[in-house]
Amino acid sequence: PTFSFISNSLFNPQFQARRTANIPICYLTCYQQDIYTVNFMVNARGHMVHSGSIDVAWNDLRPSGEECTEAPTSEITVTAGESTAAEEPTTVYPTPTCQCGCRKSCALVVSFLVSAKMGPKATVTFYTTLTSGEMVVDTLDFTVNTMFENEVKLQFSADTYKPGQMAELHLSAAPGSTLAYAAVDTSLHILGGNNQITPDRVSMG
């Protein structure tokens, strides 16, 4: 065996639509070849919505026994969009050991622009195929917040209104949006019911 692995330390992360997702992964191997191509693809609602790849040279890998961190000097990053998210803390990965002691590792950051098409949930698959024919794979499930392309904002002109008083509701959205609204007495929803409109129900059609 080549003792090759791709791993990530995130667990069910949540990403914001229209922001860049930065996913740190660690690649470890005992199999030497000139170039490793680490591919990634994002699948949502049964379709592939984004893909990319990172080329890693054997010389970029660190000797076994060193910690694999998110931001090493040999960090390789692929980016598809501008990042507006806050900087994430460095992630330290435990480096597994192999009996032959030949394992080398490298930290990578997979970055892509999160779109509404990826919501409400998606899976990103990381994989590489060695020249020996072995395929190394890892996956990560994530949730997309605010999965609509057009962000809608609404605000009442006052916090409270008296019976018979005219209320003003201010709505704003991207050009070309169709806005609809309804006023319902909250007492009608005390017992619940399945006739309420929610972001999840709208996104799933």
Side-chain angles (χ1 to χ4, degrees):
T2 64
F3 297 98
S4 299
F5 297 93
I6 295 177
S7 63
N8 69 85
S9 64
L10 301 181
F11 180 74
N12 292 333
Q14 296 185 1
F15 297 128
Q16 192 76 16
R18 298 177 296 277
R19 301 285 181 89
T20 298
N22 298 304
I23 304 176
I25 63 174
C26 191
Y27 178 63
L28 307 101
T29 187
C30 280
Y31 185 82
Q32 182 173 354
Q33 62 185 51
D34 292 337
I35 298 294
Y36 308 86
T37 299
V38 179
N39 305 283
F40 66 94
M41 59 182 179
V42 181
N43 292 278
R45 307 185 194 182
H47 300 280
M48 185 179 69
V49 294
H50 186 78
S51 64
S53 64
I54 307 173
D55 287 334
V56 184
W58 171 258
N59 293 333
D60 290 326
L61 304 184
R62 295 183 171 194
S64 177
E66 295 185 13
E67 288 184 327
C68 184
T69 62
E70 180 183 342
T73 55
S74 60
E75 179 185 65
I76 302 173
T77 304
V78 58
T79 303
E82 295 297 327
S83 175
T84 55
E87 182 179 353
E88 296 292 336
T90 298
T91 302
V92 178
Y93 300 88
T95 304
T97 58
C98 56
Q99 294 180 354
C100 63
C102 62
R103 173 169 291 163
K104 299 183 74 174
S105 62
C106 184
L108 310 172
V109 178
V110 171
S111 300
F112 56 88
L113 186 63
V114 179
S115 67
K117 294 185 295 184
M118 298 179 185
K121 295 182 179 181
T123 300
V124 56
T125 302
F126 315 96
Y127 66 96
T128 185
T129 303
L130 304 179
T131 55
S132 64
E134 178 180 347
M135 177 173 284
V136 187
V137 182
D138 192 25
T139 62
L140 174 68
D141 297 328
F142 64 90
T143 302
V144 177
N145 295 327
T146 315
M147 69 285 288
F148 302 111
E149 293 286 358
N150 296 338
E151 185 175 355
V152 178
K153 297 181 180 179
L154 60 90
Q155 183 179 8
F156 282 97
S157 59
D159 294 333
T160 59
Y161 295 96
K162 296 180 179 179
Q165 186 179 357
M166 183 68 68
E168 292 184 2
L169 177 62
H170 302 276
L171 300 170
S172 62
S177 301
T178 300
L179 301 177
Y181 66 93
V184 181
D185 193 315
T186 55
S187 63
L188 298 178
H189 297 312
I190 292 179
L191 299 179
N194 61 357
N195 60 340
Q196 300 183 42
I197 298 177
T198 64
D200 287 341
R201 294 185 65 182
V202 172
S203 66
M204 296 304 293

